Amino acid sequence: MRAIFLHPQKLCAVALLLTLISCTKQNREIIISPNAESNENVTSARPPKQVKFTTYTIRSGQHYCDQNTWKSVSVREMNFAVKFDNSAIYQTTLPDNQYDINKLWGFSEGFDHQYNSARIGWGWSDGALRLYAYSYNRGVRQSQEISIVPIGSEINCSIKLSGSTYLFTVNGVTVTQPRGTSNSTASGYQLYPYFGGDETAPHTITILLRSL
């Protein structure tokens, strides 16, 4: 085999090139490895996606909210969260109307919600925001206070069917009301935020809602 001889300057250049390649590989290992581990940690710690609140607005002088489109529903249980702001504090023109129950969220059973239906109601009276069970049982209106709730907090609510009974729950407090039917499923339409009672909203009211 024929021997290959390199000039000393060329030998120095080759040695320098090999040193640079070795350092570059080491630097790549130092930089890439921590980044890959960091990205894995960020991905695993990412919180689950949450459904956003929808804002429902009842304008001054109105009963109905701005989003009030007809929507069919078929449910055994309706779960939702609500947030009220300071617009839930109001004064009615007639003092007796202060105790009227406004409507928050619920469903009809059939095509007449004043015959069979279930809703959570709300109202501001005696310096507090109050939520109610509110239903119609074969045309007979029923209401019962469930709980006083804080303004600005997220409040969890549900309406559940249990044979011929409605179960209304607000932040873990449950009351019951008789139901006009015993079907396993309530089939009807969505009932939205509504002010009144006899009077319309004295000012613009905003309510945040989301399904659970």
Side-chain angles (χ1 to χ4, degrees), residues 77-80 120 131-133 146-147 155-160 166-176:
E77 184 173 358
M78 185 173 280
N79 299 286
F80 60 95
I120 299 288
L131 296 192
Y132 300 85
I146 305 173
S147 179
I155 304 155
N156 292 329
C157 305
S158 72
I159 307 170
K160 184 178 181 179
Y166 292 122
L167 305 177
F168 298 86
T169 302
V170 173
N171 282 349
V173 179
T174 300
V175 302
T176 64

Side-chain angles (χ1 to χ4, degrees), residues 79-138:
N79 299 286
F80 60 95
V82 60
K83 284 185 180 181
F84 293 91
D85 59 20
N86 287 334
S87 65
I89 302 173
Y90 60 88
Q91 182 67 49
T92 58
T93 301
L94 298 177
D96 287 346
N97 289 339
Q98 196 71 40
Y99 298 93
D100 287 349
I101 299 174
N102 310 306
K103 289 74 181 178
L104 181 59
W105 200 250
F107 53 87
S108 73
E109 298 208 61
F111 293 96
D112 182 359
H113 65 269
Q114 291 187 333
Y115 188 71
N116 284 323
S117 64
R119 282 179 280 188
I120 299 288
W122 69 280
W124 178 267
S125 61
D126 298 326
L129 180 60
R130 304 169 189 273
L131 296 192
Y132 300 85
Y134 188 94
S135 64
Y136 279 90
N137 176 0
R138 298 180 182 273

Side-chain angles (χ1 to χ4, degrees), residues 5-23:
F5 297 96
L6 296 176
H7 191 277
Q9 291 182 351
K10 291 184 177 180
L11 286 173
C12 291
V14 170
L16 178 59
L17 179 60
L18 291 174
T19 301
L20 288 174
I21 292 172
S22 175
C23 292

Side-chain angles (χ1 to χ4, degrees), residues 20-193:
L20 288 174
I21 292 172
S22 175
C23 292
T24 301
K25 288 182 177 180
Q26 292 177 1
N27 288 339
R28 283 179 179 174
E29 291 176 358
I30 293 171
I31 294 172
I32 293 174
S33 179
N35 283 347
E37 184 176 351
S38 175
N39 289 338
E40 182 180 352
N41 291 337
V42 169
T43 301
S44 62
R46 186 175 297 148
K49 185 178 179 181
Q50 293 186 346
V51 179
K52 293 182 179 180
F53 281 90
T54 299
T55 301
Y56 293 85
T57 303
I58 304 173
R59 300 292 178 187
S60 177
Q62 300 296 316
H63 286 296
Y64 292 94
C65 66
D66 56 348
Q67 301 189 52
N68 193 39
T69 55
W70 192 90
K71 176 185 175 183
S72 64
V73 297
S74 181
V75 296
R76 295 182 179 179
E77 184 173 358
M78 185 173 280
N79 299 286
F80 60 95
V82 60
K83 284 185 180 181
F84 293 91
D85 59 20
N86 287 334
S87 65
I89 302 173
Y90 60 88
Q91 182 67 49
T92 58
T93 301
L94 298 177
D96 287 346
N97 289 339
Q98 196 71 40
Y99 298 93
D100 287 349
I101 299 174
N102 310 306
K103 289 74 181 178
L104 181 59
W105 200 250
F107 53 87
S108 73
E109 298 208 61
F111 293 96
D112 182 359
H113 65 269
Q114 291 187 333
Y115 188 71
N116 284 323
S117 64
R119 282 179 280 188
I120 299 288
W122 69 280
W124 178 267
S125 61
D126 298 326
L129 180 60
R130 304 169 189 273
L131 296 192
Y132 300 85
Y134 188 94
S135 64
Y136 279 90
N137 176 0
R138 298 180 182 273
V140 178
R141 185 172 58 191
Q142 310 167 120
S143 62
Q144 180 181 349
E145 183 175 323
I146 305 173
S147 179
I148 293 175
V149 297
I151 286 177
S153 296
E154 182 172 332
I155 304 155
N156 292 329
C157 305
S158 72
I159 307 170
K160 184 178 181 179
L161 308 182
S162 180
S164 57
T165 302
Y166 292 122
L167 305 177
F168 298 86
T169 302
V170 173
N171 282 349
V173 179
T174 300
V175 302
T176 64
Q177 289 185 348
R179 180 179 169 223
T181 178
S182 58
N183 296 336
S184 60
T185 302
S187 297
Y189 51 89
Q190 180 71 52
L191 295 172
Y192 297 90

